[in-house]
Amino acid sequence: MQNPDGGVQDCGFYLRHFPRWLQWAEPHWHETDDGGGFFGAGTGAVLDHSATAGYLAACTALAAGPESLRAQCHIPHAELTRRAAAALRFILAGHVSRPGQTADVQSWGRHWGSPIVLERMANAVDCL
């Protein structure tokens, strides 16, 4: 990735912001009764699932990342991993291939934003 001065920026530059972002995001993380969890509104809208997938990616990146960054995070390693799995569970449960399981009983899929959700999930699953 290029930075403004034309040089290449390592991903660690962005990863260093995740502990503070997760602290900001804390009030927007919600657990579900079935072991899932979502970030934000938790509706069936694909952009809400995209937000949860972003949360999944941040938790996964920190869980798999350097200990020095995890030490800056208010969420312990085991909890980061658990939340990543909960977010993945919630996203998969709400896909059109399954009965609607989201907070507003709608499903996501067959939408221009669906590949974004899939990409974020795929990267997280690879890390986990």
Side-chain angles (χ1 to χ4, degrees), residues 46 49-58 60 84-97 108-109 113-128:
V46 72
H49 281 288
S50 182
T52 297
Y55 188 91
L56 159 65
T60 302
L88 182 62
R89 191 175 296 114
F90 181 83
I91 294 167
L92 291 174
H95 190 260
V96 294
S97 63
W108 71 277
S114 297
I116 297 167
V117 176
L118 294 172
E119 179 265 338
R120 289 178 182 162
M121 285 191 309
N123 287 327
V125 167
D126 188 44
C127 282
L128 285 173

Side-chain angles (χ1 to χ4, degrees), residues 22-57:
L22 281 172
Q23 188 170 8
W24 169 86
E26 186 68 22
H28 307 287
W29 171 251
H30 308 281
E31 303 282 334
T32 61
D33 293 337
D34 61 356
F38 60 91
F39 172 72
T43 71
V46 72
L47 294 179
D48 285 337
H49 281 288
S50 182
T52 297
Y55 188 91
L56 159 65

Side-chain angles (χ1 to χ4, degrees), residues 69-84:
L69 280 178
R70 278 196 301 280
Q72 299 172 30
C73 188
H74 69 288
I75 303 172
H77 181 263
E79 180 65 7
L80 286 168
T81 304
R82 189 194 69 75
R83 287 187 186 190

Side-chain angles (χ1 to χ4, degrees), residues 44-46 49 93-102 104-109:
V46 72
H49 281 288
H95 190 260
V96 294
S97 63
R98 300 188 48 139
Q101 307 266 329
T102 57
D104 66 355
V105 196
Q106 294 179 11
S107 296
W108 71 277

